[in-house]
Amino acid sequence: MINAGMSCQLIHYRHEEHDKFFEVCKNFDAIIVRCNPGQIKADGGDQGKFDDGMRHDGMRAMRKLGVQVWPSPDVMEFMGAKDALCKVANLNIGLPDTMAYYTEADFAAGFKKTMAFQPRVIKQNRGSSGEGIWIIKLKGGNYCSAYGERSCTDDEMLDMMEANDNHAETHSVAEFVEFCVNGRTNKSGTWTSKGDGKYLEGGKAAGGQLVDQRFCPRIVEGELRYNMVVDALVGIIHKKPKEGGISAVSGTGSVYTFYGPEETKFKNLTDNFLKVDLEYIMPSLGLADEPVPLWWTTDFILASPEGTPAEQEKWIVGEFNCSCVGISKCLAAFCKDDKPNACYSDIAVEDLKEAQRYGDLMGCKALSILDMVQNPVSVSSITKVATDNLGLKKQPPNPKYKTALAQIYVRCQPYGGSDKSSNGHRYDSIPFANGMISVGMSCQLIHYTHQEHSAFFNVCRNFDAIIVRCNPGQIKADGGDQGKFDDGMRAMRKLGVQVWPSPDVMEFMGAKDALCKVANLSIGLPDTLAYYTEADFAAGFKKTMAFQPRVIKQNRGSAGEGIWIIKLKSGNYCSSYGERSCADDEILEMMEANDNHAETHSVAEFIEFCVNGRTSKSGTWTSKGEGKYLEGGKAAGGQLVDQRFCPRIVEGELRYNMIVDALVGIIHKKPKEGGISAVSGTGSVYTFYGPEEPKFQNLTGNFLKRDLEHIMPSLGLASEPVPLWWTTDFILSSPEGTPPEKEQWIVGEFNCSCVGISKCLAAFCKDDTPNASYADVAPEDLKEAEGYGILMGQKALSIINNARVPVDVSSIALVARDNSGLLPQPKKPKFTTALAQIYVRSQPYGGGDKSSNGHRYDSIPFANGMINAGMSCQLIHYRHEEHDKFFE
């Protein structure tokens, strides 16, 4: 684990410290359990309490908390149970006539019928090292020719051998049944077995079971043990019983031969096991949500008759074992009576090297599993910046789509930037991510570092959508290049990855000339102009300024910097637009929106400042800004917007908070008395309203029902959805006395550039709250923020569905794991078609016609044929539980 970059602490369980132990365990990402069967009980503890927890604080509880446990109690139980052989009976490594018994009646009836037909192996579920595993033949040899033709009588004699020590016994059928059910009684005869029988004791829930499997006579040639590290075969052991024996367990005189994982004589078994059956083993055992164990073995028995070519041999599972399997190369390190001080340093160098090779492979596999469990998309190639994911919900095991939330940590700034919690995440990231998770999508929190640009975008291409939460200027502040980052995100859009907001959406909506592009909507003013050159600005501004008070807005900056409300000091406006233009020496009274400070300048000085900044021609400025608003030209965002001043702005602006097309709240922002701007920090008063507020019904109706669908096309963004989380600021342009139902509110600004969730502000660090975190958000605020997140998730899911598929199929289960080979759906299909399939959940592979992803083996050519003809074709599955939804 350590060599793979993880920590691994060695801890011991003591039943007296049960509660403390599991409190500690909650803090780990994964726990490797190496407690040999029976040892917790031998120490005075309760294995069931350890596994399950009397107060939900055992290992099963750890799994529910998202802590990976190797092996979990369920994995150990279900894989180790002998009826596992029944559950894999229809795989290549199984035998279809493998049965399980849980009651005396079923066992007596079933065993008498199978025993009359063929030699059998009867296996108890409990015990180990072959105890309670019986190889049985009819002493009389009078097998029937067809299964079910007859059943054994109670007095027929059985020749039996127990696998733990290869000792032989002879008993009647009735005695054997009695011993298996009730142990040593006056009806069971005399037994030399070391075991006590009673194999069904406690019933199925307590592990009482017997498995009845066909005896494979070639077991005398030996078994194969496959040593596995997760899905990697690391070695094969051929275990040949002592002459005259059947079992090859340790201590019976058996001969062990060791082979590498590539041994050619077992290639047929290796290929069937690793390439065909392995992925179905855990689902077959009822463990679909669990990974294959970290370190485990499978014992195989040769089932084919003598003379079968090696490439056609069938090997069947005799047993799975993941219960504290030992690394034999380390045996020199354990204490015995003759070496009570044995330790790690007693392991031979060559054995230690081999054992460490296994350990290193385990670490790599464990890291991969944890990445997949905690992160449906592997992000191990980029730096983990955050110290934790406090508040983040567990990722869904089979996400509908895989999303990421991309952030930037400014390493040269306190706390990583002014919007960070103490763990390095943006203060409002968790509600966003949890919203995605709440609707069945995954959402991983990742950070961009400019040194890992290529690795970051290689990771990003594996997501279905990316939510960008990098505050303007922070990438540059961290030493990166915003343009390079934006180009990377544009490349993601070309690959079909949804980006909220995409760089183009952020640029075009955030640009002040957006107001010109929506000028002809009900939320716009037709006399809104944009300037990109000095000449156009000088001529245009002089003309508009001579007619009416104006608002001049720079494109860059934020929080009102470079937004000027301007009036002629003399008030000598002309009566009609274009009648005259201002002279250079006319004086302007100006107020900047960032802090409501006032300045007085000539027209020429204002134009000079806007174009060239502070110069000998611009006069003296008290503004915090530098001017130069046209610098770099249009391509670099150099622009000024010239908009009619609406005097009723002193009554305040309205901010509409939007989740895609849903209004979630309205804020009335009233400037401080004597001010015009209501940006934060200027003494403005904020009043909060719900989305249904009747006094703004006219604006709400016009905006949502008339204009909203036209905004993105008007901005040149017809192929992009409305942003996920955004705001629009409105200014009242109607004269005083206008009835509310006739008022016109015009757009002052769109903002989709990392808009914050104000309910989470308690989670960001400041000098007086340097350890602020998600846990500091008040419960009522958190509830509202999480509500926004859930709505975002619902809207995001709908957008991705609509972007990916012409027909929304999210109401029915997604059965297939992928659509490998399927062409992209046409954006505007001539017709919409579907290809309907069925996945038989009770059959191997989902039925005899399925590919490994769950689709029928020949579905892709059908679907691609439709797509090539200009139609869409979606691959769907019918599930009888969803009959009505499917046909809807």
Side-chain angles (χ1 to χ4, degrees):
M1 305 302 117
I2 294 168
N3 283 339
M6 297 178 284
S7 64
C8 190
Q9 295 169 246
L10 306 179
I11 59 177
H12 284 77
Y13 175 77
R14 289 161 51 96
H15 62 88
E16 301 93 339
E17 298 176 337
H18 179 90
D19 293 342
K20 290 180 180 178
F21 180 85
F22 283 104
E23 277 302 312
V24 167
C25 285
K26 290 176 184 177
N27 299 303
F28 292 105
D29 297 306
I31 302 164
I32 305 166
V33 180
R34 301 292 288 164
C35 303
N36 233 359
Q39 289 187 331
I40 288 176
K41 183 178 180 180
D43 189 51
D46 181 335
Q47 183 72 49
K49 185 176 181 181
F50 178 83
D51 287 347
D52 207 14
M54 296 303 288
R55 293 178 300 280
H56 305 291
D57 54 2
M59 281 300 172
R60 286 189 174 93
M62 294 302 101
R63 291 296 291 120
K64 290 177 182 176
L65 289 173
V67 178
Q68 182 62 51
V69 179
W70 285 297
S72 74
D74 289 339
V75 169
M76 203 166 349
E77 178 185 337
F78 293 4
M79 288 196 84
K82 294 300 184 289
D83 65 355
L85 307 182
C86 307
K87 296 173 182 176
V88 298
N90 292 313
L91 301 184
N92 285 300
I93 54 173
L95 280 176
D97 60 338
T98 304
M99 301 175 185
Y101 309 121
Y102 305 99
T103 67
E104 178 180 356
D106 286 345
F107 170 50
F111 172 67
K112 288 177 181 179
K113 190 180 289 186
T114 59
M115 194 68 250
F117 177 54
Q118 285 176 330
R120 306 301 292 178
V121 181
I122 302 295
K123 302 179 179 184
Q124 73 137 323
N125 186 43
R126 296 176 283 235
S128 59
S129 299
E131 189 263 308
I133 297 178
W134 297 95
I135 298 95
I136 312 176
K137 298 179 182 179
L138 281 178
K139 191 173 185 69
N142 56 325
Y143 299 106
C144 57
S145 56
Y147 176 68
E149 187 178 300
R150 78 174 188 91
S151 293
C152 287
T153 60
D154 284 342
D155 59 357
E156 286 188 67
M157 301 306 293
L158 307 174
D159 281 335
M160 307 165 57
M161 181 179 284
E162 191 172 15
N164 60 334
D165 56 8
N166 285 329
H167 85 278
E169 303 207 21
T170 301
H171 290 279
S172 69
V173 169
E175 287 174 341
F176 178 62
V177 172
E178 177 70 10
F179 179 75
C180 290
V181 175
N182 298 312
R184 290 178 169 85
T185 70
N186 57 4
K187 297 179 182 178
S188 68
T190 302
W191 289 74
T192 56
S193 171
K194 296 174 183 175
D196 293 316
K198 301 182 183 180
Y199 303 137
L200 299 180
E201 190 172 51
K204 184 178 181 178
Q209 62 179 251
L210 282 164
V211 167
D212 181 350
Q213 191 176 34
R214 184 195 313 171
F215 173 66
C216 300
R218 295 185 69 183
I219 194 172
V220 297
E221 299 174 25
E223 300 174 71
L224 292 180
R225 169 160 290 182
Y226 273 40
N227 290 326
M228 302 288 298
V229 174
V230 189
D231 57 358
L233 176 63
V234 295
I236 303 170
I237 307 172
H238 181 257
K239 305 189 294 177
K240 190 176 188 306
K242 182 181 178 181
E243 193 66 36
I246 291 178
S247 173
V249 297
S250 178
T252 60
S254 50
V255 178
Y256 284 25
T257 307
F258 296 86
Y259 297 93
E262 305 295 331
E263 177 57 43
T264 54
K265 67 171 73 176
F266 308 126
K267 186 176 187 303
N268 187 49
L269 167 59
T270 301
D271 287 347
N272 277 330
F273 181 47
L274 300 186
K275 297 178 182 178
V276 181
D277 285 350
L278 185 56
E279 66 177 302
Y280 299 104
I281 288 175
M282 302 306 278
S284 296
L285 297 176
L287 297 166
D289 292 335
E290 291 278 2
V292 177
L294 197 60
W295 174 236
W296 60 298
T297 66
T298 303
D299 289 347
F300 294 102
I301 303 164
L302 183 54
S304 300
E306 290 192 61
T308 305
E311 67 274 9
Q312 295 175 15
E313 285 179 342
K314 180 178 177 68
W315 291 80
I316 63 165
V317 174
E319 184 178 55
F320 297 116
N321 187 8
C322 64
S323 178
C324 222
V325 176
I327 299 178
S328 59
K329 297 293 183 182
C330 297
L331 286 172
F334 87 79
C335 298
K336 297 182 291 187
D337 289 344
D338 60 338
K339 47 173 191 173
N341 299 312
C343 66
Y344 179 79
S345 60
D346 293 325
I347 302 172
V349 174
E350 60 274 14
D351 288 340
L352 191 57
K353 183 178 179 182
E354 183 72 0
Q356 191 57 61
R357 183 176 72 85
Y358 294 166
D360 288 348
L361 182 56
M362 287 181 215
C364 293
K365 295 289 185 180
L367 181 61
S368 177
I369 290 170
L370 290 175
D371 273 340
M372 288 300 294
V373 170
Q374 297 184 9
N375 305 305
V377 171
S378 176
V379 294
S380 59
S381 61
I382 59 176
T383 299
K384 181 181 178 182
V385 173
T387 56
D388 61 63
N389 291 328
L390 179 65
L392 185 67
K393 291 181 178 179
K394 184 180 177 183
Q395 305 291 348
N398 296 299
K400 295 174 182 176
Y401 297 105
K402 300 170 184 176
T403 73
L405 190 147
Q407 308 160 95
I408 177 71
Y409 186 89
V410 186
R411 287 162 283 184
C412 61
Q413 293 182 359
Y415 319 119
S418 59
D419 59 349
K420 297 300 183 297
S421 289
S422 56
N423 60 2
H425 289 308
R426 198 183 134 92
Y427 71 94
D428 56 3
S429 289
I430 297 299
F432 275 81
N434 284 347
M436 304 302 117
I437 293 169
S438 70
V439 296
M441 297 186 286
S442 62
C443 190
Q444 295 168 239
L445 306 178
I446 59 177
H447 284 79
Y448 174 78
T449 56
H450 63 88
Q451 296 92 339
E452 297 176 340
H453 180 88
S454 296
F456 179 85
F457 282 103
N458 280 333
V459 166
C460 285
R461 66 177 58 233
N462 297 306
F463 291 104
D464 297 300
I466 302 165
I467 304 167
V468 179
R469 301 292 288 164
C470 302
N471 231 359
Q474 289 190 331
I475 288 175
K476 183 178 180 181
D478 189 53
D481 181 333
Q482 183 71 51
K484 188 175 180 180
F485 177 85
D486 289 347
D487 286 343
M489 286 298 171
R490 288 187 179 98
M492 295 303 102
R493 290 296 293 122
K494 289 179 182 177
L495 290 173
V497 178
Q498 182 63 53
V499 178
W500 284 298
S502 73
D504 290 340
V505 169
M506 203 167 348
E507 179 184 338
F508 293 4
M509 289 196 81
K512 294 302 184 288
D513 64 356
L515 306 182
C516 308
K517 296 173 181 176
V518 298
N520 293 313
L521 301 184
S522 65
I523 53 171
L525 282 177
D527 61 336
T528 304
L529 308 175
Y531 309 121
Y532 305 99
T533 67
E534 178 180 357
D536 287 344
F537 170 49
F541 172 67
K542 288 178 181 179
K543 190 180 289 186
T544 58
M545 193 68 249
F547 176 54
Q548 285 176 330
R550 305 303 290 178
V551 181
I552 301 296
K553 301 180 179 184
Q554 74 138 322
N555 187 43
R556 296 175 283 237
S558 60
E561 189 263 308
I563 297 178
W564 297 95
I565 297 94
I566 311 176
K567 298 178 182 179
L568 284 176
K569 186 177 180 70
S570 63
N572 61 325
Y573 300 106
C574 58
S575 56
S576 60
Y577 177 67
E579 186 179 305
R580 80 175 187 91
S581 291
C582 286
D584 283 341
D585 59 357
E586 288 190 63
I587 301 301
L588 307 175
E589 288 183 339
M590 307 164 58
M591 181 178 285
E592 192 173 15
N594 61 333
D595 56 9
N596 285 329
H597 84 279
E599 303 209 21
T600 302
H601 290 280
S602 70
V603 169
E605 287 174 339
F606 178 62
I607 292 172
E608 176 69 12
F609 180 74
C610 291
V611 175
N612 298 312
R614 289 178 169 84
T615 71
S616 59
K617 298 179 181 179
S618 69
T620 301
W621 290 74
T622 57
S623 170
K624 296 173 183 175
E626 302 293 335
K628 302 182 183 179
Y629 303 137
L630 298 181
E631 191 172 50
K634 184 177 182 179
Q639 61 179 254
L640 284 164
V641 166
D642 181 351
Q643 192 176 34
R644 183 194 314 171
F645 173 67
C646 301
R648 293 186 69 183
I649 194 172
V650 296
E651 299 173 26
E653 299 174 72
L654 292 180
R655 170 160 287 181
Y656 273 39
N657 290 326
M658 302 289 298
I659 294 176
V660 189
D661 57 358
L663 175 62
V664 295
I666 301 170
I667 307 173
H668 181 255
K669 305 188 295 176
K670 190 177 189 304
K672 182 181 178 181
E673 193 67 36
I676 291 178
S677 172
V679 297
S680 178
T682 60
S684 49
V685 178
Y686 283 26
T687 307
F688 297 85
Y689 298 94
E692 306 294 332
E693 177 56 42
K695 69 172 69 175
F696 308 124
Q697 187 177 354
N698 185 49
L699 167 60
T700 301
N702 280 334
F703 181 48
L704 299 186
K705 296 175 183 177
R706 289 178 54 189
D707 286 351
L708 186 56
E709 66 179 302
H710 301 292
I711 288 175
M712 302 306 279
S714 297
L715 297 176
L717 296 166
S719 62
E720 290 280 1
V722 177
L724 195 60
W725 175 236
W726 61 298
T727 65
T728 302
D729 289 347
F730 294 101
I731 303 164
L732 183 55
S733 65
S734 301
E736 289 191 61
T738 305
E741 67 274 10
K742 294 182 179 179
E743 285 178 342
Q744 182 182 18
W745 291 80
I746 63 164
V747 174
E749 184 178 56
F750 297 116
N751 186 9
C752 64
S753 177
C754 224
V755 176
I757 299 179
S758 58
K759 296 293 181 181
C760 296
L761 285 172
F764 87 78
C765 297
K766 299 174 291 185
D767 289 345
D768 58 338
T769 57
N771 299 310
S773 72
Y774 176 83
D776 295 320
V777 181
E780 61 274 17
D781 289 337
L782 193 57
K783 183 179 179 181
E784 189 163 346
E786 290 285 354
Y788 291 164
I790 291 169
L791 182 56
M792 286 182 216
Q794 293 167 345
K795 295 290 185 179
L797 180 61
S798 177
I799 289 170
I800 299 174
N801 276 334
N802 291 334
R804 289 297 178 91
V805 293
V807 174
D808 184 359
V809 295
S810 60
S811 61
I812 60 174
L814 178 66
V815 173
R817 293 184 311 177
D818 60 62
N819 291 326
S820 179
L822 187 67
L823 295 172
Q825 304 289 348
K827 289 185 177 179
K828 295 183 178 179
K830 297 174 182 177
F831 298 100
T832 55
T833 74
L835 189 148
Q837 307 158 95
I838 178 72
Y839 186 91
V840 186
R841 287 162 281 179
S842 61
Q843 294 182 2
Y845 322 121
D849 60 349
K850 295 300 183 293
S851 289
S852 57
N853 61 2
H855 289 308
R856 197 184 133 92
Y857 70 95
D858 55 3
S859 289
I860 298 300
F862 276 79
N864 284 347
M866 305 298 115
I867 293 169
N868 283 334
M871 296 178 284
S872 64
C873 190
Q874 294 167 244
L875 306 179
I876 59 177
H877 284 78
Y878 174 77
R879 288 161 51 101
H880 62 87
E881 303 93 336
E882 299 176 338
H883 179 89
D884 293 340
K885 290 180 181 178
F886 180 87
F887 283 102
E888 277 299 311

